[in-house]
Amino acid sequence: MSGTKTINHWLDGKLFEGASGLLAPVTNPATGRVTGEVALADVADSRAVIDAAAAAFPAWRDTSLAKRTQVLFAFRELLNERKHELAEIITAEHGKVLSDALGEVTRGQEVVEFACGIPHLLKGAFSENASTKVDVHSMRQPLGPIAIISPFNFPAMVPMWFFPLAIAAGNTVVLKPSEKDPSAAIWMAELWAEAGLPPGVFNVLQGDRTAVNELLVNPSIKAVSFVGSTPIAQYVYAAGTAHGKRVQALGGAKNHAIVLPDADLDLAADAMVNAGFGSAGERCMAISALVAVGEIADELVAKIAERTRTLKIGDGTRDSDMGPLVTKTHRDHVASYIDAGEAAGATLVVDGREVQADGAADGFWLGPTLIDNVTPEMSVYTDEIFGPVLSVVRVETYDEALQLVNSSPFGNGTAIFTNDGGAARRFQNEVEVGMVGINVPIPVPMAYYSFGGWKNSLYGDTHAHGMEGVHFFTRAKAVTTRWLDPSHGGLNLGFPQNI
Ligand code: NAD
């Protein structure tokens, strides 16, 4: 294909073409044009990349904390200086507007900053004289090569939820990015090399399910951090654990925001528009179901509609609020939910199918869509749509609203808008969701807390980053020490007791 680039794998500190000969097109969603072709690994290519990570592990594991931290600091500095470059790459392949792409990089950078504190995070405990002249100490050690399998919607931030801590803790990494926007991973690999990370510690494996399947069965891979849709998360968790790996598999979402009658409706309407339509709704923490409680519904919907109509839809490199969807197939899939909602009797307040976008005619455009009078059995409510579609469900009471949220099979994020501290406190106690916002629509925890949902939004028991991330990428060892002297002599076959 002339005029396009090939996006290859990264192995041992350099680009690697692989031998499969398989390629998939990469598209700019704002123009609809193919801008590159990504290599798709076969089993042999996948093994070559995994072998590089396995070969680099012993030396990296034994690299001092001081040296590891220096490399992390250097990576952080380079990322901070050059994050605009990464944001442009994200916009060109994902479609999100530049400011949003920059925001994604900044949230990823926060995890790098957290990982710079690894000497403190890995400190163990020491107990002198746990028994007479016997000391006990604990330590955490790296696991080995780690697979990170990431989705299209955050090509930089989601990998950065994992790899800074994995590398800081002494592991090596194979990142398998989404084949829809694979270039960000290579840019980050080059940055690691520039920061002084030894070859083989951070590797990129481009590909589809063939590459994923090899990561799930290959004995060199010790742990898998996956983020993507729920069916694939379920599969990855089942297959990875069946092959003896530690797995955290973050899945899909259907996030509700409850607006109580006492809320400030202008602030709530702003928040609904930002969280419903930011990144074209292609965020796992997007609000897709607004639960309006009581008599405020008409006024709230009117305020949201008014704001929604002011949004500028267009090419992410221009002065737009919202960009295109990632592929034409996905755009059509999302639009089909609007068709289905309309057919089922919901009220289309703002119809994104009629959008006038500031961008090329062949871009994958779909405008922000507000659908009122949605009921819980409609597919626009039950399914994760992953597009700019905000459904409004009207209920009479807080209890009905809570019941809706808690009945969802997903439990990623949720928010409540209220000025009533007692109601908010009750909600945070009662809601069955992993991440809760109180007057905060997209409650993505800071790097030093952990990110993760409940129910079908996460398989495994460890969330991403924060101390749970440190634990996921290390295993504990407890060491009992006694320096022998004559007082320790004699035979005793009884179970050791502490005296
Ligand atoms: P996806 O499940 O299609 O793909 C995720 C990864 O799995 C990609 O690397 C892809 O190549 C791979 N994959 C796809 N099909 C596969 C198969 N059959 N076998 C093995 N591997 C396969 O997800 P996506 O469309 O890229 O991303 C959007 C989804 O990710 C949404 O469901 C969203 O909610 C979810 N997501 C969740 C979180 C979270 O924190 N819970 C964060 C971001 C995105």
Side-chain angles (χ1 to χ4, degrees):
M1 203 171 290
S2 65
T4 61
K5 57 182 175 177
T6 302
I7 303 140
N8 285 314
H9 317 280
W10 183 270
L11 168 163
D12 260 345
K14 52 189 182 304
L15 288 166
F16 167 60
E17 258 184 52
S20 78
L22 299 168
L23 297 166
V26 176
T27 310
N28 181 335
T31 63
R33 267 195 236 118
V34 173
T35 54
E37 291 179 300
V38 60
L40 298 180
D42 58 13
V43 170
D45 293 342
S46 305
R47 286 186 183 156
V49 179
I50 295 167
D51 287 350
F57 176 62
W60 183 243
R61 171 195 193 279
D62 288 337
T63 300
S64 71
L65 284 168
K67 176 69 188 154
R68 281 192 237 155
T69 310
Q70 275 171 14
V71 176
L72 278 155
F73 264 94
F75 182 81
R76 187 269 171 203
E77 288 301 286
L78 288 169
L79 182 63
N80 194 44
E81 264 167 39
R82 293 175 41 194
K83 57 178 141 187
H84 284 90
E85 290 173 30
L86 183 54
E88 281 167 20
I89 290 170
I90 294 168
T91 296
E93 291 185 356
H94 175 284
K96 64 177 75 175
V97 301
L98 267 175
S99 57
D100 193 34
L102 205 51
E104 142 167 24
V105 177
T106 302
R107 292 309 302 262
Q109 184 178 316
E110 289 169 9
V111 185
V112 181
E113 287 158 4
F114 176 66
C116 286
I118 198 68
H120 179 71
L121 299 172
L122 283 184
K123 276 198 303 201
F126 184 89
S127 301
E128 186 184 31
N129 274 334
S131 185
T132 305
K133 292 188 181 175
V134 173
D135 305 326
V136 180
H137 70 276
S138 66
M139 54 197 192
R140 300 200 70 89
Q141 295 189 314
L143 306 174
I146 309 288
I148 299 170
I149 302 162
S150 58
F152 81 83
N153 67 321
F154 284 110
M157 183 187 76
V158 164
M160 281 196 272
W161 281 350
F162 306 105
F163 69 63
L165 277 172
I167 289 173
N171 302 282
T172 57
V173 164
V174 176
L175 168 61
K176 206 301 283 172
S178 167
E179 57 274 48
K180 296 190 179 93
D181 43 17
S183 295
I186 294 297
W187 189 91
M188 293 189 287
E190 286 167 351
L191 208 71
W192 272 123
E194 210 175 310
L197 192 71
V201 177
F202 181 80
N203 307 278
V204 178
L205 174 62
Q206 307 285 9
D208 55 16
R209 65 171 71 178
T210 304
V212 171
N213 285 337
E214 181 58 25
L215 290 168
L216 295 176
V217 302
N218 191 299
S220 291
I221 296 290
K222 302 302 177 201
V224 179
S225 297
F226 170 89
V227 181
S229 57
T230 287
I232 310 297
Q234 281 171 330
Y235 166 71
V236 165
Y237 185 76
T241 51
H243 285 85
K245 301 179 199 314
R246 193 178 278 199
V247 183
Q248 51 181 181
L250 284 69
K254 186 81 191 181
N255 303 318
H256 296 67
I258 295 177
V259 180
L260 294 186
D262 72 290
D264 179 319
L265 295 190
D266 286 301
L267 296 181
D270 287 345
M272 292 309 115
V273 173
N274 296 340
F277 306 132
S279 199
E282 292 170 329
R283 289 183 185 141
C284 61
M285 291 292 272
I287 294 294
S288 57
L290 158 60
V291 187
V293 180
E295 289 171 359
I296 54 159
D298 285 342
E299 192 184 346
L300 181 59
V301 169
K303 284 179 186 292
I304 296 171
E306 188 191 326
R307 286 160 171 76
T308 302
R309 292 193 185 99
T310 67
L311 295 179
K312 288 178 279 181
I313 316 309
D315 192 313
T317 60
R318 301 183 193 169
D319 179 30
S320 310
D321 296 309
M322 194 186 107
L325 274 78
V326 68
T327 59
K328 179 167 189 320
T329 310
H330 186 54
R331 183 243 165 252
D332 294 346
H333 182 67
V334 174
S336 75
Y337 277 103
I338 306 173
D339 301 341
E342 191 175 35
T347 314
L348 265 177
V349 184
V350 182
D351 187 349
R353 294 170 300 185
E354 297 158 1
V355 68
Q356 295 293 321
D358 176 18
D362 291 337
F364 309 138
W365 308 111
L366 185 67
T369 298
L370 180 63
I371 313 188
D372 196 2
N373 298 306
V374 168
T375 54
E377 65 286 350
M378 294 180 187
S379 63
V380 71
Y381 175 78
T382 53
D383 295 5
E384 178 181 40
I385 302 176
F386 223 55
V389 180
L390 181 62
S391 299
V392 182
V393 185
R394 295 174 176 231
V395 299
E396 292 305 317
T397 64
Y398 163 85
D399 286 315
E400 280 176 76
L402 180 74
Q403 161 73 15
L404 265 183
V405 182
N406 283 352
S407 306
S408 171
F410 299 104
N412 211 43
T414 188
I416 190 165
F417 284 77
T418 179
N419 286 316
D420 179 342
R425 195 171 183 283
R426 192 177 153 197
F427 182 68
Q428 73 184 20
N429 173 261
E430 295 176 338
V431 75
E432 291 168 13
V433 171
M435 293 171 284
V436 181
I438 295 172
N439 300 314
V440 174
I442 309 178
V444 175
M446 298 299 290
Y448 39 92
Y449 284 84
S450 297
F451 182 108
W454 288 13
K455 302 195 271 188
N456 293 359
S457 296
L458 190 143
Y459 299 89
D461 56 8
T462 318
H463 293 192
H465 60 70
M467 283 315 290
E468 295 203 28
V470 176
H471 279 228
F472 185 77
F473 293 123
T474 54
R475 52 187 168 175
K477 204 176 251 182
V479 181
T480 306
T481 308
R482 159 170 93 173
W483 295 103
L484 296 177
D485 64 38
S487 72
H488 293 109
L491 298 178
N492 181 354
L493 271 59
F495 196 69
Q497 294 176 47
N498 299 324
I499 45 168

